[in-house]
Amino acid sequence: MKKRAIFFDRDGIVNVRKIGGYITNANEFEFRNDFIRLFKFLSNSDYLLILITNQQGIGKGLMSEDDLTLIHNYMQRNLLLKTRRQFDDIFFCPDLAETGSQRRKPKPGMILEAIDKWEIDVHNSWMIGDAPSDIEAGNKAGVKTIFIAPDGDNMPEADYCLTSLAEVIELFAG
Ligand SMILES: [Mg+2]
């Protein structure tokens, strides 16, 4: 039987976004409180929880893949402590925007890889992100999309436009 999944963007969804910069070590990684509440809410659900993140800081030479692994190990360890659940899988794209990489959002490559690897039920799965590129990637992969815009920006291509992850809990609870 195919599994449902929720795909999460990272910066601005899981952790507080660093304006104009890249998170290059775990000290700069600060969980969003509303994300922890959402993850706790989902911790016993049968959804696969999968991270889909562009990290071109690697392509730019600002950090290495090992640095990113350390950050994600920190994230996973603390998620387990705070919510008793971790991401089931992590996909990242180190490629620079100008390479036109098929894996880099807004291209759907990473989501398609995950769908293939985990035999995911596309039509009952979701992508949650705070950038138009997240929504575009989700739409191209065929999953439902949730655009998080704290200042209430609308994105007609998204299935839902919400202002916080607290509203995502309401959506999944209802
Ligand atoms: Mg983001």
Side-chain angles (χ1 to χ4, degrees):
M1 195 163 123
K2 292 204 165 199
K3 306 169 195 83
R4 305 186 295 174
I6 303 175
F7 300 105
F8 293 86
D9 168 46
R10 199 195 79 182
D11 298 317
I13 296 290
V14 178
N15 57 284
V16 178
R17 199 170 177 164
K18 192 176 155 194
I19 303 299
Y22 294 90
I23 308 277
T24 57
N25 65 70
N27 292 332
E28 298 172 325
F29 189 95
E30 182 191 344
F31 282 105
R32 286 177 56 117
N33 291 328
D34 60 353
F35 173 77
I36 293 297
R37 282 194 290 275
L38 172 61
F39 216 73
K40 237 182 232 172
F41 169 77
L42 293 169
S43 62
N44 291 317
S45 80
D46 64 354
Y47 279 105
L48 288 167
L49 305 176
I50 298 177
L51 190 70
I52 300 285
T53 180
N54 287 351
Q55 292 297 329
Q56 72 165 346
I58 294 172
K60 289 186 174 177
L62 300 171
M63 61 175 164
S64 65
E65 285 201 19
D66 287 345
D67 293 331
L68 187 67
T69 300
L70 289 175
I71 293 166
H72 286 168
N73 288 348
Y74 170 88
M75 176 187 72
Q76 292 283 60
R77 209 166 48 239
N78 281 281
L79 276 178
L80 196 57
L81 289 171
K82 290 172 195 282
T83 73
R84 296 170 178 266
R85 180 85 188 251
Q86 294 180 309
F87 282 110
D88 296 297
D89 209 345
I90 296 173
F91 293 79
F92 69 91
C93 178
D95 302 333
L96 294 172
E98 54 266 32
T99 61
S101 166
Q102 293 300 313
R103 300 186 71 250
R104 182 178 161 81
K105 296 176 285 185
K107 301 279 176 56
M110 287 191 281
I111 303 176
L112 296 176
E113 274 172 38
I115 288 169
D116 195 46
K117 176 175 174 182
W118 290 91
E119 296 183 48
I120 287 168
D121 172 0
V122 174
H123 300 293
N124 288 305
S125 294
W126 298 82
M127 173 78 210
I128 303 175
D130 68 334
S133 56
D134 298 314
I135 303 310
E136 207 179 306
N139 284 340
K140 283 183 190 144
V143 302
K144 292 178 276 190
T145 52
I146 301 173
F147 183 51
I148 303 294
D151 32 16
D153 284 354
N154 190 37
M155 191 182 170
E157 297 84 356
D159 292 294
Y160 292 89
C161 295
L162 304 176
T163 58
S164 76
L165 297 175
E167 291 180 32
V168 177
I169 295 179
E170 286 173 34
L171 180 68
F172 282 97

